[in-house]
Amino acid sequence: MTTTQLVQQLGWELLTPTAPEREITKVYCCDLLSWVMGRAPADSAWVTVMGNVNAVAVAALADVACIVLAEGAVLDEQAQQKAQQNEIVVLRSGEPVYETAVKIAQECKL
């Protein structure tokens, strides 16, 4: 499933409308950025509550398919600009991290 299809299926908010769609192959949950850098699988949907510029940098390094901000977490303005510059897809879910990850796994049939 692609990031665009996920947004359409789940009705989540797309925070970076100019970013190209990506294929999602896994789900990864973590808020410790140094941990994510070394462990997040490429093409995964990274579920976190970290909406800052450092999270965007980590997403680029890890080559994740998208960042999914759970619990309605805010993407700060600097992070949004950096995400758009680096073509990082950022979505927002109002649900807790676990429920967000489960929905991704179910929708993507992972």
Side-chain angles (χ1 to χ4, degrees):
M1 176 171 280
T2 67
T3 52
T4 302
Q5 291 169 324
L6 187 66
V7 169
Q8 291 170 345
Q9 290 292 326
L10 297 176
W12 291 344
E13 187 177 358
L14 176 61
L15 302 177
T16 53
T18 61
E21 73 178 333
R22 297 268 309 261
E23 189 74 27
I24 298 168
T25 60
K26 296 185 189 268
V27 181
Y28 188 78
C29 302
C30 189
D31 290 327
L32 186 59
L33 298 180
S34 60
W35 198 267
V36 175
M37 273 193 291
R39 291 177 173 81
D43 300 318
S44 62
W46 171 27
V47 183
T48 184
V49 294
M50 303 292 291
N52 59 39
V53 70
N54 293 331
V56 173
V58 168
L61 285 171
D63 193 30
V64 297
C66 62
I67 300 171
V68 182
L69 294 175
E71 308 212 22
V74 176
L75 181 66
D76 69 42
E77 188 176 325
Q78 183 183 15
Q80 185 171 25
Q81 290 171 359
K82 194 59 139 176
Q84 289 189 219
Q85 284 175 343
N86 290 298
E87 299 184 321
I88 305 291
V89 177
V90 183
L91 314 174
R92 180 169 31 224
S93 161
E95 299 178 49
V97 171
Y98 176 77
E99 283 82 0
T100 297
V102 167
K103 283 190 173 188
I104 295 167
Q106 289 172 338
E107 286 297 321
C108 295
K109 296 178 179 34
L110 303 176

